[in-house]
Amino acid sequence: MSPSLEQSGRQPWHAVAIVAAVIALAAGCASKNDPITKAATMDKAAGIAAPNIAETKAIAEEAFIYGLPIVMNYAVMNEYAVDKGGPQFKAPFNQIKNEPRVYTYQDTAVITPNSDTPYSLLWLDLRAEPMVLSVPAVEKKRYYAVMLNDGNTYNFGYIGSRATGNGPGTYMVVGPDWKGVTPAGVRKVFTSTTPFALAAYRTQLFDAKDMPNVVKVQSGYKVQPLSAFLGRPAPPAAPAISFLPATTEGIKKNYFEYLDAALQFVPTSAEDRDVRARIARIGIGPGKSFELKDLSLEHKAAVLLGMKDGDEKVDKWLASGLKNVNGWNIGSFFGDRNFYKQDWLMRAGAAKGGIYGNDAVEAAYPLTRVDEKGQPLDGSKHSYTLTFPAGQTPPVNAFWSVTMYDGKTQLLIKNPINRYLINSPMVGAMKKNRDGSLTIYIQKESPGKALEANWLPAPDGPIYLAMRLYWPKDTPPSILPAGEGTWKPPGIVASK
Protein backbone atom coordinates (compact mmCIF):
# COMPACT_ATOMS: atom_id res chain seq x y z
CA MET A 1 0.00 0.00 0.00
CA SER A 2 0.92 3.60 0.19
CA PRO A 3 4.01 3.77 2.41
CA SER A 4 4.45 7.29 3.64
CA LEU A 5 2.77 9.29 6.42
CA GLU A 6 0.43 6.41 6.72
CA GLN A 7 0.98 3.12 8.59
CA SER A 8 1.28 3.76 12.29
CA GLY A 9 3.51 1.20 13.93
CA ARG A 10 1.12 0.74 16.85
CA GLN A 11 -1.93 -0.29 14.77
CA PRO A 12 -4.20 -1.18 17.72
CA TRP A 13 -6.97 -2.27 15.34
CA HIS A 14 -4.84 -5.18 14.10
CA ALA A 15 -5.10 -6.83 17.50
CA VAL A 16 -8.83 -7.24 16.96
CA ALA A 17 -8.09 -10.34 14.87
CA ILE A 18 -7.52 -12.27 18.10
CA VAL A 19 -10.38 -10.88 20.12
CA ALA A 20 -12.30 -14.14 19.98
CA ALA A 21 -9.61 -15.64 22.17
CA VAL A 22 -10.76 -13.50 25.08
CA ILE A 23 -14.40 -14.59 24.94
CA ALA A 24 -13.88 -17.24 27.62
CA LEU A 25 -12.43 -14.56 29.90
CA ALA A 26 -15.00 -11.93 29.11
CA ALA A 27 -18.08 -13.57 30.57
CA GLY A 28 -20.43 -11.13 32.19
CA CYS A 29 -24.03 -10.54 32.98
CA ALA A 30 -26.20 -8.56 30.63
CA SER A 31 -27.92 -5.53 32.07
CA LYS A 32 -31.16 -4.00 30.91
CA ASN A 33 -29.11 -0.98 29.87
CA ASP A 34 -26.64 -2.80 27.65
CA PRO A 35 -26.39 -1.34 24.11
CA ILE A 36 -28.01 -4.27 22.29
CA THR A 37 -30.94 -4.47 24.70
CA LYS A 38 -31.53 -0.73 24.41
CA ALA A 39 -31.33 -0.93 20.61
CA ALA A 40 -33.77 -3.86 20.60
CA THR A 41 -36.18 -1.88 22.76
CA MET A 42 -36.10 0.97 20.27
CA ASP A 43 -36.62 -1.49 17.39
CA LYS A 44 -39.62 -2.98 19.16
CA ALA A 45 -41.11 0.45 19.71
CA ALA A 46 -40.67 1.14 16.00
CA GLY A 47 -42.27 -2.20 15.07
CA ILE A 48 -38.98 -3.72 13.90
CA ALA A 49 -37.87 -7.20 14.91
CA ALA A 50 -34.72 -7.16 17.03
CA PRO A 51 -31.71 -8.87 15.40
CA ASN A 52 -31.12 -12.48 16.37
CA ILE A 53 -27.68 -13.80 17.31
CA ALA A 54 -26.68 -14.54 13.71
CA GLU A 55 -27.80 -11.09 12.61
CA THR A 56 -25.97 -9.50 15.54
CA LYS A 57 -22.74 -11.21 14.45
CA ALA A 58 -23.24 -10.08 10.84
CA ILE A 59 -23.96 -6.48 11.90
CA ALA A 60 -20.86 -6.45 14.15
CA GLU A 61 -18.77 -7.64 11.21
CA GLU A 62 -20.17 -4.94 8.95
CA ALA A 63 -19.68 -2.31 11.65
CA PHE A 64 -16.05 -3.33 12.09
CA ILE A 65 -15.32 -3.04 8.36
CA TYR A 66 -17.24 0.19 7.90
CA GLY A 67 -15.77 1.78 11.01
CA LEU A 68 -12.12 0.74 10.77
CA PRO A 69 -10.84 3.77 8.79
CA ILE A 70 -12.95 6.11 10.90
CA VAL A 71 -11.54 4.74 14.16
CA MET A 72 -7.99 4.77 12.80
CA ASN A 73 -8.29 8.39 11.70
CA TYR A 74 -9.83 9.37 15.04
CA ALA A 75 -6.89 7.76 16.87
CA VAL A 76 -4.29 9.58 14.75
CA MET A 77 -6.12 12.90 15.14
CA ASN A 78 -6.10 12.41 18.91
CA GLU A 79 -2.37 11.70 18.95
CA TYR A 80 -1.38 14.50 16.57
CA ALA A 81 -3.75 17.33 17.47
CA VAL A 82 -5.49 16.63 20.81
CA ASP A 83 -3.16 14.89 23.27
CA LYS A 84 -0.75 17.75 23.92
CA GLY A 85 1.25 15.72 26.42
CA GLY A 86 1.64 12.71 24.17
CA PRO A 87 4.83 11.74 22.31
CA GLN A 88 3.18 12.03 18.88
CA PHE A 89 1.62 15.47 19.35
CA LYS A 90 2.29 17.83 16.43
CA ALA A 91 0.23 21.01 16.84
CA PRO A 92 -3.23 22.16 17.93
CA PHE A 93 -6.04 22.35 15.38
CA ASN A 94 -5.61 24.98 12.66
CA GLN A 95 -1.85 25.31 13.18
CA ILE A 96 0.73 23.94 10.74
CA LYS A 97 3.54 21.74 12.05
CA ASN A 98 6.52 21.78 9.70
CA GLU A 99 9.02 18.94 9.92
CA PRO A 100 12.35 20.28 8.57
CA ARG A 101 13.84 16.84 8.07
CA VAL A 102 13.28 13.42 6.55
CA TYR A 103 12.93 10.13 8.39
CA THR A 104 16.00 8.05 9.29
CA TYR A 105 16.59 4.69 10.99
CA GLN A 106 16.10 6.45 14.33
CA ASP A 107 12.43 7.10 13.53
CA THR A 108 10.48 4.11 14.76
CA ALA A 109 6.96 5.42 15.47
CA VAL A 110 5.78 5.02 11.86
CA ILE A 111 6.50 1.96 9.74
CA THR A 112 7.50 2.15 6.06
CA PRO A 113 8.31 5.85 6.48
CA ASN A 114 8.76 8.17 3.53
CA SER A 115 12.33 9.53 3.47
CA ASP A 116 11.83 11.55 0.27
CA THR A 117 9.63 14.44 1.26
CA PRO A 118 9.66 16.36 4.56
CA TYR A 119 6.14 16.73 5.93
CA SER A 120 4.03 19.58 7.13
CA LEU A 121 0.86 18.59 8.97
CA LEU A 122 -2.28 20.59 9.59
CA TRP A 123 -5.37 19.28 11.38
CA LEU A 124 -8.36 21.47 10.57
CA ASP A 125 -11.36 22.27 12.78
CA LEU A 126 -13.98 23.57 10.35
CA ARG A 127 -16.91 23.85 12.77
CA ALA A 128 -16.87 27.60 13.43
CA GLU A 129 -15.86 28.75 9.96
CA PRO A 130 -13.88 27.72 6.88
CA MET A 131 -10.10 27.82 6.88
CA VAL A 132 -8.03 29.52 4.18
CA LEU A 133 -4.80 27.85 3.07
CA SER A 134 -2.14 29.79 1.18
CA VAL A 135 0.87 28.33 -0.60
CA PRO A 136 3.91 30.20 -1.94
CA ALA A 137 5.44 30.08 -5.38
CA VAL A 138 7.55 26.93 -5.56
CA GLU A 139 10.29 26.57 -8.17
CA LYS A 140 9.09 24.48 -11.09
CA LYS A 141 11.62 21.70 -10.61
CA ARG A 142 10.46 21.05 -7.04
CA TYR A 143 7.42 18.83 -6.52
CA TYR A 144 5.05 19.53 -3.67
CA ALA A 145 1.55 18.35 -2.80
CA VAL A 146 -1.06 19.11 -0.17
CA MET A 147 -3.41 16.17 0.30
CA LEU A 148 -6.75 16.93 1.95
CA ASN A 149 -8.23 13.99 3.87
CA ASP A 150 -11.38 13.90 6.01
CA GLY A 151 -12.78 11.79 8.83
CA ASN A 152 -14.10 9.24 6.33
CA THR A 153 -10.49 8.94 5.04
CA TYR A 154 -11.61 10.31 1.68
CA ASN A 155 -8.97 12.28 -0.21
CA PHE A 156 -11.29 15.17 -1.00
CA GLY A 157 -8.80 17.45 -2.72
CA TYR A 158 -5.25 18.31 -3.73
CA ILE A 159 -3.21 21.47 -3.96
CA GLY A 160 0.24 21.29 -5.53
CA SER A 161 2.40 20.68 -8.55
CA ARG A 162 0.06 18.24 -10.29
CA ALA A 163 -3.30 19.58 -9.18
CA THR A 164 -2.91 23.36 -9.17
CA GLY A 165 0.64 24.09 -10.37
CA ASN A 166 3.66 25.58 -8.64
CA GLY A 167 2.47 29.18 -8.59
CA PRO A 168 1.28 30.91 -5.41
CA GLY A 169 -2.34 30.46 -4.50
CA THR A 170 -5.02 30.75 -1.87
CA TYR A 171 -7.61 28.03 -1.29
CA MET A 172 -10.47 27.47 1.13
CA VAL A 173 -11.46 24.31 2.99
CA VAL A 174 -15.03 24.17 4.27
CA GLY A 175 -17.03 21.79 6.42
CA PRO A 176 -20.01 19.73 5.26
CA ASP A 177 -22.63 22.30 6.27
CA TRP A 178 -21.00 25.44 4.88
CA LYS A 179 -23.03 27.47 2.41
CA GLY A 180 -21.61 30.65 1.00
CA VAL A 181 -19.90 32.34 -1.90
CA THR A 182 -16.28 31.96 -2.83
CA PRO A 183 -14.41 35.06 -1.63
CA ALA A 184 -12.36 37.11 -4.05
CA GLY A 185 -8.78 35.90 -4.11
CA VAL A 186 -9.65 32.26 -3.36
CA ARG A 187 -8.84 30.02 -6.31
CA LYS A 188 -10.82 26.96 -5.25
CA VAL A 189 -13.06 25.68 -2.46
CA PHE A 190 -12.63 22.13 -1.10
CA THR A 191 -15.49 20.57 0.87
CA SER A 192 -14.81 18.06 3.63
CA THR A 193 -17.48 15.49 4.48
CA THR A 194 -16.58 15.93 8.16
CA PRO A 195 -15.97 18.93 10.45
CA PHE A 196 -12.40 17.80 11.16
CA ALA A 197 -9.91 17.18 8.36
CA LEU A 198 -6.21 16.72 7.70
CA ALA A 199 -3.98 18.62 5.29
CA ALA A 200 -0.76 16.66 4.70
CA TYR A 201 1.96 18.62 2.89
CA ARG A 202 4.80 16.82 1.08
CA THR A 203 7.73 18.95 -0.14
CA GLN A 204 10.44 17.42 -2.32
CA LEU A 205 14.01 17.33 -0.97
CA PHE A 206 16.77 16.95 -3.57
CA ASP A 207 19.63 16.13 -1.20
CA ALA A 208 20.85 16.88 2.33
CA LYS A 209 22.18 20.30 1.30
CA ASP A 210 18.76 21.21 -0.04
CA MET A 211 17.02 21.22 3.35
CA PRO A 212 17.28 25.02 3.88
CA ASN A 213 15.40 25.47 0.60
CA VAL A 214 12.68 23.07 1.77
CA VAL A 215 12.41 25.01 5.03
CA LYS A 216 11.96 28.20 3.01
CA VAL A 217 9.09 26.61 1.07
CA GLN A 218 7.52 25.30 4.27
CA SER A 219 7.66 28.77 5.85
CA GLY A 220 5.41 29.94 3.02
CA TYR A 221 2.60 27.54 3.92
CA LYS A 222 -0.02 29.63 5.73
CA VAL A 223 -3.41 28.98 7.29
CA GLN A 224 -5.99 31.43 8.68
CA PRO A 225 -9.71 31.50 9.45
CA LEU A 226 -11.97 32.93 6.75
CA SER A 227 -12.85 35.89 9.01
CA ALA A 228 -9.19 36.85 9.33
CA PHE A 229 -8.71 36.50 5.57
CA LEU A 230 -11.65 38.84 5.00
CA GLY A 231 -10.65 41.20 7.80
CA ARG A 232 -13.94 40.69 9.63
CA PRO A 233 -14.75 39.84 13.27
CA ALA A 234 -14.49 36.16 14.08
CA PRO A 235 -17.73 34.20 14.62
CA PRO A 236 -18.38 32.57 18.00
CA ALA A 237 -15.90 29.79 18.72
CA ALA A 238 -17.10 26.22 18.31
CA PRO A 239 -17.86 24.44 21.60
CA ALA A 240 -14.96 22.75 23.33
CA ILE A 241 -14.92 18.97 22.95
CA SER A 242 -13.90 16.40 25.51
CA PHE A 243 -12.46 13.82 23.14
CA LEU A 244 -12.39 10.21 24.28
CA PRO A 245 -8.64 9.58 24.70
CA ALA A 246 -7.51 7.12 22.03
CA THR A 247 -5.20 4.49 23.45
CA THR A 248 -4.02 1.21 22.02
CA GLU A 249 -5.32 -0.69 25.02
CA GLY A 250 -8.64 1.11 24.96
CA ILE A 251 -9.30 0.35 21.30
CA LYS A 252 -8.35 -3.30 21.77
CA LYS A 253 -10.74 -3.65 24.72
CA ASN A 254 -13.70 -1.71 23.38
CA TYR A 255 -13.38 -0.93 19.68
CA PHE A 256 -17.03 0.04 19.23
CA GLU A 257 -16.85 2.59 22.02
CA TYR A 258 -14.28 4.42 19.90
CA LEU A 259 -16.44 4.05 16.81
CA ASP A 260 -19.30 5.65 18.78
CA ALA A 261 -16.98 8.51 19.72
CA ALA A 262 -15.61 8.99 16.20
CA LEU A 263 -19.04 8.90 14.54
CA GLN A 264 -20.00 12.05 16.44
CA PHE A 265 -17.74 13.86 13.98
CA VAL A 266 -18.74 11.93 10.84
CA PRO A 267 -22.16 13.15 9.65
CA THR A 268 -24.42 10.59 7.99
CA SER A 269 -24.31 10.86 4.21
CA ALA A 270 -26.27 9.45 1.29
CA GLU A 271 -23.57 6.80 0.88
CA ASP A 272 -23.62 5.44 4.43
CA ARG A 273 -27.18 6.08 5.57
CA ASP A 274 -28.15 2.41 5.23
CA VAL A 275 -25.09 0.97 6.98
CA ARG A 276 -25.41 3.50 9.78
CA ALA A 277 -29.03 2.41 10.28
CA ARG A 278 -28.00 -1.26 10.41
CA ILE A 279 -25.22 -0.81 12.94
CA ALA A 280 -27.56 1.27 15.11
CA ARG A 281 -29.62 -1.92 15.52
CA ILE A 282 -26.93 -3.25 17.90
CA GLY A 283 -26.44 0.06 19.65
CA ILE A 284 -23.59 1.63 17.65
CA GLY A 285 -23.71 5.27 16.62
CA PRO A 286 -23.01 8.87 17.62
CA GLY A 287 -24.13 9.75 21.11
CA LYS A 288 -24.15 6.10 22.16
CA SER A 289 -21.71 4.27 24.42
CA PHE A 290 -21.15 0.67 23.40
CA GLU A 291 -19.78 -1.18 26.42
CA LEU A 292 -18.75 -4.73 25.59
CA LYS A 293 -18.63 -5.69 29.25
CA ASP A 294 -22.35 -4.99 29.62
CA LEU A 295 -23.40 -7.60 27.04
CA SER A 296 -24.66 -11.08 27.77
CA LEU A 297 -22.11 -13.80 27.06
CA GLU A 298 -24.08 -14.85 23.99
CA HIS A 299 -24.17 -11.36 22.53
CA LYS A 300 -20.57 -10.74 23.54
CA ALA A 301 -19.47 -13.85 21.65
CA ALA A 302 -21.47 -12.83 18.58
CA VAL A 303 -19.98 -9.34 18.54
CA LEU A 304 -16.41 -10.50 19.05
CA LEU A 305 -16.68 -13.21 16.42
CA GLY A 306 -18.21 -10.71 14.00
CA MET A 307 -15.28 -8.36 14.58
CA LYS A 308 -12.82 -11.22 14.09
CA ASP A 309 -14.45 -12.23 10.81
CA GLY A 310 -14.45 -8.60 9.67
CA ASP A 311 -10.76 -8.23 10.41
CA GLU A 312 -10.00 -11.43 8.52
CA LYS A 313 -12.00 -10.20 5.53
CA VAL A 314 -9.95 -7.00 5.48
CA ASP A 315 -6.70 -9.01 5.58
CA LYS A 316 -7.92 -11.33 2.82
CA TRP A 317 -8.86 -8.35 0.68
CA LEU A 318 -5.43 -6.82 1.23
CA ALA A 319 -3.70 -10.05 0.20
CA SER A 320 -5.68 -10.32 -3.04
CA GLY A 321 -6.30 -6.71 -3.95
CA LEU A 322 -2.83 -6.01 -5.38
CA LYS A 323 -1.57 -6.96 -8.84
CA ASN A 324 1.77 -8.77 -9.07
CA VAL A 325 4.07 -7.33 -11.74
CA ASN A 326 7.54 -8.93 -11.91
CA GLY A 327 7.36 -9.56 -8.17
CA TRP A 328 6.17 -6.03 -7.33
CA ASN A 329 2.71 -5.58 -5.83
CA ILE A 330 0.83 -2.61 -7.26
CA GLY A 331 -2.66 -1.30 -6.62
CA SER A 332 -4.89 1.76 -6.42
CA PHE A 333 -7.04 1.99 -3.30
CA PHE A 334 -7.19 5.65 -2.29
CA GLY A 335 -9.50 8.40 -3.46
CA ASP A 336 -12.58 10.49 -2.75
CA ARG A 337 -16.14 9.41 -1.93
CA ASN A 338 -16.88 8.78 -5.62
CA PHE A 339 -13.83 6.56 -5.88
CA TYR A 340 -14.97 4.19 -3.12
CA LYS A 341 -18.64 4.08 -4.19
CA GLN A 342 -19.69 2.55 -0.84
CA ASP A 343 -17.10 -0.23 -1.05
CA TRP A 344 -16.42 -0.24 2.69
CA LEU A 345 -14.16 -3.30 2.44
CA MET A 346 -11.87 -1.54 -0.04
CA ARG A 347 -11.81 1.54 2.17
CA ALA A 348 -10.96 -0.56 5.23
CA GLY A 349 -8.24 -2.45 3.37
CA ALA A 350 -6.72 0.76 2.07
CA ALA A 351 -6.64 2.27 5.57
CA LYS A 352 -5.21 -0.82 7.22
CA GLY A 353 -2.62 -1.26 4.48
CA GLY A 354 -1.54 2.38 4.72
CA ILE A 355 -3.84 5.09 5.98
CA TYR A 356 -3.56 8.50 4.24
CA GLY A 357 -2.27 7.07 0.98
CA ASN A 358 -2.27 9.17 -2.18
CA ASP A 359 -4.57 8.81 -5.13
CA ALA A 360 -2.78 6.80 -7.83
CA VAL A 361 -2.64 9.86 -10.10
CA GLU A 362 -0.61 11.61 -7.39
CA ALA A 363 1.67 8.71 -6.48
CA ALA A 364 1.95 5.01 -7.27
CA TYR A 365 3.65 2.57 -4.91
CA PRO A 366 5.09 -0.72 -6.19
CA LEU A 367 6.12 -2.86 -3.19
CA THR A 368 8.07 -6.10 -2.97
CA ARG A 369 9.57 -8.67 -0.63
CA VAL A 370 10.60 -11.11 -3.37
CA ASP A 371 12.93 -11.33 -6.35
CA GLU A 372 11.83 -11.87 -9.95
CA LYS A 373 11.52 -15.63 -9.28
CA GLY A 374 9.30 -15.11 -6.26
CA GLN A 375 12.01 -15.98 -3.72
CA PRO A 376 12.12 -13.94 -0.48
CA LEU A 377 14.63 -11.09 -0.50
CA ASP A 378 17.30 -11.66 2.16
CA GLY A 379 20.45 -9.56 2.47
CA SER A 380 22.16 -12.24 4.59
CA LYS A 381 21.95 -14.74 1.73
CA HIS A 382 22.24 -12.77 -1.50
CA SER A 383 23.25 -9.56 -3.17
CA TYR A 384 20.71 -8.21 -5.66
CA THR A 385 20.43 -5.87 -8.60
CA LEU A 386 17.59 -3.79 -9.97
CA THR A 387 18.28 -2.69 -13.55
CA PHE A 388 16.27 -0.15 -15.50
CA PRO A 389 16.91 -0.55 -19.26
CA ALA A 390 18.13 2.56 -21.10
CA GLY A 391 15.38 5.15 -21.22
CA GLN A 392 13.05 3.05 -19.05
CA THR A 393 13.38 4.51 -15.56
CA PRO A 394 9.97 5.05 -13.90
CA PRO A 395 7.90 7.44 -16.07
CA VAL A 396 6.98 10.35 -13.81
CA ASN A 397 6.38 14.07 -14.06
CA ALA A 398 7.93 14.68 -10.64
CA PHE A 399 10.39 12.11 -9.29
CA TRP A 400 10.76 8.46 -8.34
CA SER A 401 12.58 6.61 -5.59
CA VAL A 402 13.40 3.13 -4.32
CA THR A 403 13.55 2.90 -0.52
CA MET A 404 15.08 0.10 1.57
CA TYR A 405 13.44 -1.26 4.73
CA ASP A 406 14.17 -4.01 7.19
CA GLY A 407 11.83 -6.81 6.16
CA LYS A 408 10.96 -7.67 9.75
CA THR A 409 10.18 -4.21 11.11
CA GLN A 410 9.52 -2.21 7.91
CA LEU A 411 11.79 0.49 9.32
CA LEU A 412 14.74 2.22 7.67
CA ILE A 413 18.08 0.59 8.40
CA LYS A 414 21.28 1.97 9.86
CA ASN A 415 24.08 1.80 7.30
CA PRO A 416 27.62 3.15 6.85
CA ILE A 417 26.72 5.78 4.24
CA ASN A 418 23.41 6.97 5.79
CA ARG A 419 21.58 6.20 2.56
CA TYR A 420 18.02 4.97 2.83
CA LEU A 421 16.92 5.32 -0.77
CA ILE A 422 17.98 6.00 -4.32
CA ASN A 423 15.89 8.52 -6.21
CA SER A 424 15.85 10.22 -9.58
CA PRO A 425 17.72 13.38 -8.45
CA MET A 426 20.67 11.08 -7.64
CA VAL A 427 20.82 9.50 -11.10
CA GLY A 428 23.20 12.12 -12.52
CA ALA A 429 25.92 11.01 -10.11
CA MET A 430 25.34 7.30 -10.70
CA LYS A 431 27.31 5.08 -13.06
CA LYS A 432 25.48 3.87 -16.15
CA ASN A 433 26.14 0.56 -17.87
CA ARG A 434 27.64 0.49 -21.38
CA ASP A 435 24.22 0.02 -22.93
CA GLY A 436 22.84 3.04 -21.08
CA SER A 437 20.93 1.02 -18.52
CA LEU A 438 21.00 1.90 -14.82
CA THR A 439 21.71 -0.74 -12.17
CA ILE A 440 21.03 -0.32 -8.45
CA TYR A 441 23.10 -2.64 -6.25
CA ILE A 442 21.03 -3.94 -3.35
CA GLN A 443 23.36 -5.57 -0.82
CA LYS A 444 24.67 -5.27 2.72
CA GLU A 445 28.32 -4.72 1.68
CA SER A 446 29.59 -1.95 -0.56
CA PRO A 447 29.96 -2.98 -4.24
CA GLY A 448 33.21 -1.00 -4.27
CA LYS A 449 34.05 2.69 -4.58
CA ALA A 450 33.46 2.75 -8.32
CA LEU A 451 29.86 1.63 -7.87
CA GLU A 452 29.07 3.11 -4.47
CA ALA A 453 26.87 5.83 -5.96
CA ASN A 454 24.62 2.99 -7.19
CA TRP A 455 24.53 1.20 -3.82
CA LEU A 456 21.34 0.84 -1.81
CA PRO A 457 22.50 -0.65 1.50
CA ALA A 458 20.51 -3.70 2.60
CA PRO A 459 19.96 -5.28 6.02
CA ASP A 460 21.61 -8.49 7.11
CA GLY A 461 18.31 -10.32 6.79
CA PRO A 462 14.85 -9.93 5.19
CA ILE A 463 14.37 -7.01 2.79
CA TYR A 464 11.29 -4.92 2.01
CA LEU A 465 11.48 -2.48 -0.92
CA ALA A 466 9.11 0.33 -1.83
CA MET A 467 9.09 2.34 -5.04
CA ARG A 468 7.43 5.74 -5.01
CA LEU A 469 6.39 7.24 -8.32
CA TYR A 470 5.27 10.82 -7.70
CA TRP A 471 2.92 12.31 -10.28
CA PRO A 472 3.17 9.32 -12.63
CA LYS A 473 2.75 10.06 -16.31
CA ASP A 474 -0.69 9.24 -17.64
CA THR A 475 0.30 8.58 -21.25
CA PRO A 476 2.27 5.49 -22.38
CA PRO A 477 4.64 4.41 -21.12
CA SER A 478 2.87 4.73 -17.78
CA ILE A 479 2.25 2.65 -14.66
CA LEU A 480 -1.36 3.91 -14.80
CA PRO A 481 -3.87 2.44 -14.36
CA ALA A 482 -1.89 1.23 -11.35
CA GLY A 483 -0.57 -2.25 -12.15
CA GLU A 484 -2.22 -2.29 -15.59
CA GLY A 485 -0.15 0.28 -17.46
CA THR A 486 2.39 -0.24 -20.21
CA TRP A 487 5.39 0.46 -17.94
CA LYS A 488 6.35 -2.47 -15.73
CA PRO A 489 8.86 -2.25 -12.87
CA PRO A 490 11.74 -4.66 -13.56
CA GLY A 491 12.17 -7.60 -11.22
CA ILE A 492 14.87 -7.86 -8.57
CA VAL A 493 17.67 -10.22 -9.66
CA ALA A 494 19.63 -12.32 -7.14
CA SER A 495 23.37 -12.55 -7.78
CA LYS A 496 24.75 -15.98 -8.54
Side-chain angles (χ1 to χ4, degrees):
M1 281 294 182
S2 171
S4 46
L5 167 65
E6 55 283 18
Q7 298 209 20
S8 166
R10 292 167 299 284
Q11 295 201 8
W13 36 86
H14 187 68
V16 175
I18 60 170
V19 290
V22 305
I23 291 175
L25 301 175
C29 297
S31 72
K32 292 183 180 180
N33 292 318
D34 78 87
I36 292 180
T37 298
K38 286 194 289 186
T41 301
M42 293 178 66
D43 283 347
K44 185 177 180 180
I48 303 170
N52 59 33
I53 292 299
E55 290 173 325
T56 296
K57 177 179 175 295
I59 293 171
E61 177 184 308
E62 184 177 25
F64 176 85
I65 292 170
Y66 166 75
L68 184 62
I70 295 170
V71 172
M72 291 174 67
N73 175 78
Y74 178 83
V76 176
M77 183 176 74
N78 264 263
E79 288 190 295
Y80 281 15
V82 176
D83 184 9
K84 295 182 179 180
Q88 298 299 318
F89 182 76
K90 303 299 182 184
F93 288 108
N94 299 333
Q95 293 185 28
I96 298 175
K97 170 64 174 179
N98 292 313
E99 298 278 6
R101 65 185 189 90
V102 291
Y103 286 109
T104 73
Y105 73 92
Q106 294 176 310
D107 292 286
T108 59
V110 177
I111 62 172
T112 328
N114 170 350
S115 194
D116 277 305
T117 57
Y119 278 105
S120 302
L121 298 175
L122 167 64
W123 282 94
L124 296 163
D125 180 349
L126 304 169
R127 293 175 299 153
E129 60 177 317
M131 299 301 293
V132 177
L133 280 58
S134 299
V135 295
V138 179
E139 63 266 46
K140 289 185 178 181
K141 66 177 182 178
R142 188 183 305 279
Y143 167 86
Y144 87 101
V146 185
M147 179 184 74
L148 301 173
N149 187 280
D150 61 29
N152 279 301
T153 66
Y154 298 147
N155 292 342
F156 65 91
Y158 276 93
I159 300 165
S161 301
R162 176 194 63 84
T164 57
N166 278 40
T170 299
Y171 306 86
M172 189 163 74
V173 182
V174 305
D177 299 325
W178 184 79
K179 293 179 176 62
V181 297
T182 303
V186 170
R187 289 181 58 183
K188 187 172 182 179
V189 175
F190 298 96
T191 302
S192 170
T193 64
T194 61
F196 296 101
L198 168 66
Y201 300 63
R202 296 171 171 95
T203 308
Q204 183 180 3
L205 174 73
F206 297 125
D207 53 43
K209 296 178 181 178
D210 185 45
M211 189 60 76
N213 299 316
V214 169
V215 170
K216 183 178 179 180
V217 173
Q218 290 178 325
S219 68
Y221 297 143
K222 305 294 184 184
V223 60
Q224 60 184 318
L226 176 59
S227 57
F229 175 75
L230 296 175
R232 297 175 181 171
I241 296 174
S242 179
F243 289 96
L244 177 67
T247 65
T248 298
E249 195 62 28
I251 294 174
K252 284 164 62 177
K253 285 183 176 179
N254 203 4
Y255 170 85
F256 286 134
E257 181 184 13
Y258 284 89
L259 181 55
D260 286 341
L263 286 176
Q264 296 179 75
F265 313 113
V266 180
T268 301
S269 66
E271 292 94 342
D272 66 5
R273 184 171 290 111
D274 290 343
V275 65
R276 295 279 284 265
R278 284 193 296 275
I279 67 176
R281 295 188 66 203
I282 61 170
I284 297 171
K288 302 181 185 297
S289 182
F290 192 101
E291 287 287 351
L292 194 65
K293 64 180 176 59
D294 291 338
L295 301 183
S296 68
L297 180 58
E298 192 175 30
H299 274 135
K300 192 178 299 180
V303 168
L304 290 171
L305 287 170
M307 294 169 69
K308 178 179 181 293
D309 287 353
D311 195 40
E312 289 176 350
K313 277 190 176 179
V314 174
D315 285 341
K316 183 177 179 181
W317 187 92
L318 269 174
S320 62
L322 296 163
K323 184 174 179 62
N324 186 295
V325 180
N326 295 328
W328 296 87
N329 289 319
I330 311 172
S332 172
F333 307 125
F334 303 95
D336 61 14
R337 63 199 301 179
N338 294 322
F339 172 82
Y340 286 113
K341 293 182 171 64
Q342 300 172 291
D343 189 336
W344 310 126
L345 184 59
M346 174 191 265
R347 188 180 69 163
K352 188 171 182 179
I355 193 170
Y356 309 132
N358 272 302
D359 293 13
V361 294
E362 194 70 43
Y365 304 96
L367 311 168
T368 189
R369 295 178 182 272
V370 300
D371 64 19
E372 62 177 0
K373 296 181 179 179
Q375 296 301 306
L377 297 173
D378 192 323
S380 69
K381 298 178 179 178
H382 296 285
S383 294
Y384 301 92
T385 56
L386 171 62
T387 299
F388 296 109
Q392 295 183 39
T393 52
V396 292
N397 292 299
F399 71 99
W400 59 266
S401 66
V402 183
T403 305
M404 172 65 67
Y405 301 97
D406 180 286
K408 294 178 181 177
T409 64
Q410 289 184 219
L411 298 173
L412 300 166
I413 65 163
K414 186 177 182 179
N415 64 84
I417 58 173
N418 295 320
R419 180 181 295 160
Y420 311 105
L421 56 82
I422 283 179
N423 59 24
S424 46
M426 299 165 63
V427 169
M430 297 171 69
K431 184 175 182 179
K432 299 282 186 67
N433 300 316
R434 289 184 177 180
D435 62 359
S437 61
L438 177 70
T439 296
I440 297 173
Y441 294 87
I442 300 166
Q443 54 194 65
K444 63 179 180 178
E445 304 292 344
S446 171
K449 284 293 183 182
L451 295 173
E452 200 158 271
N454 297 47
W455 178 32
L456 183 56
D460 187 18
I463 291 171
Y464 181 50
L465 288 170
M467 275 193 201
R468 291 176 170 85
L469 280 63
Y470 286 98
W471 192 1
K473 291 187 176 179
D474 56 8
T475 55
S478 172
I479 198 171
L480 300 177
E484 305 287 347
T486 55
W487 184 84
K488 314 290 184 185
I492 306 294
V493 178
S495 60
K496 297 181 180 178

